[in-house]
Amino acid sequence: RMLSGKTIGWLLNANATAATILLAGCSVVDLGSIAARWNVTHAREVGGTATPIDLCYLHSLGSAALLPLVDLERNPAIASDLRARVRVVRTDIQNRMITQQSDWRTWEWRAHGRLAQLPADLETVKIPDNRRVGCDGYLFPKVPSTFPEYVR
């Protein structure tokens, strides 16, 4: 600004314009899906050079991680125990999405598209009613409802 002789108003307007363009771009791009795709593609379990796959992180991304988890589950390079855990996480996310999409108040355009892209031959895991899914794909017994809320 000093070298080109611009005013402070020009500097403020240029920064506001740049911030607006950046925020508008981030609202259109699905950053969670990009992060999930990168983690699945570069995971050590599939021959990548990144860290081992973090299923808890992918589970926390929710619907954004659904299609990358399908690709990871179908990858022949991963071990069978990891494939089973990936299937549990993917099934949990898929079931939550189906429940969410059935209510018009929680319906999402991106989630609708992701569910439509799922392959028809996917195996789902039947999660027993007395079990809950851990973020890493392990099944745990449910805590009885008689316990106080802070224990559950």
Side-chain angles (χ1 to χ4, degrees):
R1 179 187 79 81
M2 291 172 60
L3 293 176
S4 62
K6 304 286 185 180
T7 64
I8 190 72
W10 175 87
L11 179 63
L12 291 174
N13 287 336
N15 283 329
T17 302
T20 302
I21 291 170
L22 178 71
L23 290 175
C26 288
S27 68
V28 173
V29 174
D30 189 4
L31 298 176
S33 181
I34 292 171
R37 177 71 54 200
W38 191 93
N39 280 310
V40 166
T41 305
H42 294 89
R44 189 174 295 156
E45 290 83 359
V46 295
T49 57
T51 59
I53 194 79
D54 186 1
L55 289 179
C56 285
Y57 174 66
L58 293 174
H59 191 266
S60 72
L61 289 176
S63 67
L66 181 66
L67 297 175
L69 282 171
V70 169
D71 293 342
L72 181 63
E73 181 181 345
R74 291 183 164 211
N75 191 326
I78 66 170
S80 61
D81 61 330
L82 177 60
R83 179 174 288 108
R85 289 178 32 225
V86 168
R87 185 173 293 136
V88 168
V89 171
R90 194 250 321 141
T91 301
D92 186 47
I93 291 172
Q94 183 177 345
N95 290 342
R96 288 179 189 206
M97 286 175 65
I98 291 170
T99 302
Q100 178 185 9
Q101 292 299 100
S102 65
D103 186 5
W104 67 271
R105 291 170 289 214
T106 56
W107 187 90
E108 293 179 356
W109 177 69
R110 284 183 177 156
H112 174 75
R114 288 181 184 123
L115 286 173
Q117 291 179 24
L118 284 178
D121 62 339
L122 272 181
E123 294 180 33
T124 57
V125 176
K126 174 68 175 133
I127 299 170
D129 291 335
N130 64 344
R131 309 289 261 172
R132 66 180 173 83
V133 175
C135 66
D136 55 359
Y138 291 111
L139 294 176
F140 298 103
K142 279 190 177 174
V143 177
S145 60
T146 57
F147 281 95
E149 184 64 33
Y150 62 85
V151 175
R152 287 186 253 155

